[in-house]
């Protein structure tokens, strides 16, 4: 089973073109949708979750027409939005039981077994009787995953799940996601490159409503080998280097500015070759949206 998105477009009343002719085929397993804030990720996720309709295009989940049969989709959908509310005075156990009833798990024994299994899976069993208002951000996110997994969904959508989590909670959350949905389509929508690098065997990069790249992360990284160069320099030299070279990213390391440059050959004696990573892929493709060099790279990575 896969999810097929064809020629999906959406323009809001204020004139924002949130999606522009988006087409993707997403297989079972973990799939990363990577892009900056405002790129169109949440619009696509809400559309897939049947919370809004596109202006044009089609979506099929296996043999189900998502746009024409939204109720069938919701029966097999698990959705963790970027922001979701909980009842702060309710316990995780009782609220999860309530959601289980809404999901159609009405038998008392089956519901109890399902809730207990999900609380164990999300490492919340020991705190199941504590009120949700006292949960940390990471614990609430894990509770959201428990809700999303009710009913063995065929499509699971998680939208910016690690934003705002501390490093320890992020690791726990990613470990949880890594064991989810081998038989389901699981879409991880995020602006955090490391989340996709850690979890996803396929990904797409989206910006301004357009898909810039669809690829396997490891193949995309391999295609950049020999093309990423690094140099440490005083910040006063940065503007000149940006004029002379295709700088894709800058960062501060021990008080010095380190730039990564895309180039078919060594840009100069001050530069050293660097082993690329998914962040280099991301920034190269994003730069290519506005430049000839980057656009060619994007085509090569997608081939």
């Amino acid at each position: 089973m896969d999810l097929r998105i064809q020629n999906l477009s959406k323009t809001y009343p204020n004139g924002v073109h949130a999606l522009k002719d988006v087409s993707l085929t997403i297989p079972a397993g973990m799939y990363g949708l990577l892009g900056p804030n405002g790129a169109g990720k949440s619009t696509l996720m809400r559309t897939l979750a049947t919370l809004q309709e596109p202006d044009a295009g089609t979506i099929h989940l296996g043999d189900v027409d998502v746009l024409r049969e939204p109720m069938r989709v919701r029966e097999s959908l698990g959705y963790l939005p970027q922001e979701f509310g909980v009842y702060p005075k309710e316990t995780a156990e009782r609220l999860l039981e309530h959601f289980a009833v809404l999901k159609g798990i009405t038998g008392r024994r089956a519901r109890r077994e399902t809730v207990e299994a999900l609380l164990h899976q999300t490492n919340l069993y020991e705190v199941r009787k504590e009120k949700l208002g006292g949960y940390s951000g990471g614990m609430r996110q894990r509770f959201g995953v428990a809700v999303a997994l009710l009913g063995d969904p065929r499509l699971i959508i998680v939208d910016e799940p690690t934003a705002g989590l501390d490093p320890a909670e992020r690791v726990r959350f990613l470990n949880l996601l890594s064991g989810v949905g081998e038989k389901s389509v699981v879409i991880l929508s995020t602006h955090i490159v490391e989340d996709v690098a850690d979890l996803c065997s396929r990904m797409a990069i989206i910006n301004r409503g357009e898909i810039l790249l669809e690829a396997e992360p490891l193949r995309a990284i391999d295609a950049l080998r020999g093309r990423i160069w690094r140099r440490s320099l005083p910040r006063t030299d940065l503007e000149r280097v940006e004029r002379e070279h295709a700088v894709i990213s800058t960062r501060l390391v021990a008080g010095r500015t380190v730039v990564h440059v895309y180039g078919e050959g060594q840009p100069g004696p001050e530069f050293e070759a660097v082993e690329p990573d998914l962040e280099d892929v991301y920034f190269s493709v994003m730069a290519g949206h506005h430049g000839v060099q980057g656009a060619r790279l994007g085509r090569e990575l997608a081939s």
Side-chain angles (χ1 to χ4, degrees):
M1 183 199 67
D2 56 18
L3 178 70
R4 301 182 305 282
I5 304 165
Q6 294 182 314
N7 307 117
L8 209 65
S9 295
K10 177 67 177 182
T11 300
Y12 289 113
N14 62 3
V16 172
H17 297 283
L19 298 175
K20 302 175 184 177
D21 200 32
V22 169
S23 293
L24 290 170
T25 298
I26 302 176
M30 192 72 68
Y31 189 96
L33 183 67
L34 185 60
N37 292 330
K41 302 188 304 297
S42 292
T43 296
L44 180 56
M45 296 304 97
R46 289 195 299 269
T47 303
L48 296 177
T50 72
L51 297 178
Q52 64 182 43
E53 294 183 356
D55 299 326
T58 62
I59 310 170
H60 289 86
L61 177 63
D63 61 352
V64 178
D65 187 320
V66 172
L67 301 179
R68 294 185 178 182
E69 304 173 273
M71 293 308 299
R72 285 188 64 189
V73 177
R74 292 168 191 168
E75 290 171 359
S76 59
L77 172 68
Y79 182 42
L80 176 59
Q82 185 172 354
E83 296 180 5
F84 67 97
V86 297
Y87 293 97
K89 296 183 179 181
E90 192 57 87
T91 68
E93 184 177 52
R94 290 191 60 183
L95 190 56
L96 192 56
E97 286 182 353
H98 173 70
F99 282 121
V101 172
L102 296 179
K103 201 69 175 180
I105 308 173
T106 54
R108 180 174 298 179
R109 180 175 178 180
R111 183 169 67 251
R112 183 174 64 249
E113 291 175 350
T114 297
V115 167
E116 183 174 315
L118 286 173
L119 289 170
H120 277 295
Q121 185 177 353
T122 54
N123 198 27
L124 293 173
Y125 187 77
E126 297 301 323
V127 293
R128 67 192 183 281
K129 296 188 182 299
E130 294 184 13
K131 293 180 179 179
L132 288 162
Y135 274 21
S136 68
M139 292 166 69
R140 285 195 295 271
Q141 288 293 78
R142 283 185 273 137
F143 177 78
V145 170
V147 175
L149 292 178
L150 283 167
D152 296 320
R154 300 167 65 197
L155 173 61
I156 301 170
I157 297 170
V158 285
D159 192 359
E160 299 285 0
T162 64
L165 299 187
D166 65 44
E169 282 285 16
R170 176 182 172 273
V171 169
R172 281 193 288 269
F173 189 83
L174 293 181
N175 286 338
L176 169 61
L177 282 185
S178 68
V180 167
E182 292 182 358
K183 297 180 181 179
S184 305
V185 174
V186 184
I187 303 176
L188 171 64
S189 172
T190 182
H191 68 280
I192 301 174
V193 176
E194 291 86 350
D195 289 357
V196 173
D198 290 344
L199 290 177
C200 302
S201 58
R202 290 200 68 84
M203 69 166 192
I205 295 176
I206 185 172
N207 191 35
R208 298 182 180 180
E210 296 183 83
I211 300 298
L212 305 184
L213 170 70
E214 205 281 334
E216 298 174 10
L218 292 179
R219 286 191 61 193
I221 292 169
D222 189 59
L224 272 186
R225 284 192 169 88
R227 298 177 175 180
I228 301 299
W229 307 86
R230 178 176 59 198
R231 179 186 172 187
S232 176
L233 71 165
R235 188 160 186 82
T236 53
D237 290 348
L238 179 58
E239 186 174 343
R240 175 182 59 81
V241 171
E242 288 179 328
R243 287 197 308 267
E244 296 174 355
H245 304 286
V247 174
I248 60 171
S249 66
T250 64
R251 67 180 65 184
L252 280 175
V253 178
R256 297 274 291 180
T257 299
V258 175
V259 298
H260 279 206
V261 167
Y262 172 80
E264 298 292 341
Q266 187 176 11
E270 308 92 346
F271 291 88
E272 62 177 352
V274 61
E275 187 70 13
D277 57 20
L278 195 60
E279 188 172 276
D280 291 314
V281 172
Y282 175 72
F283 285 121
S284 296
V285 171
M286 292 294 289
H289 190 47
H290 302 287
V292 175
Q293 275 191 325
R296 185 174 69 248
L297 172 65
R299 289 194 297 271
E300 291 172 5
L301 290 176
S303 64

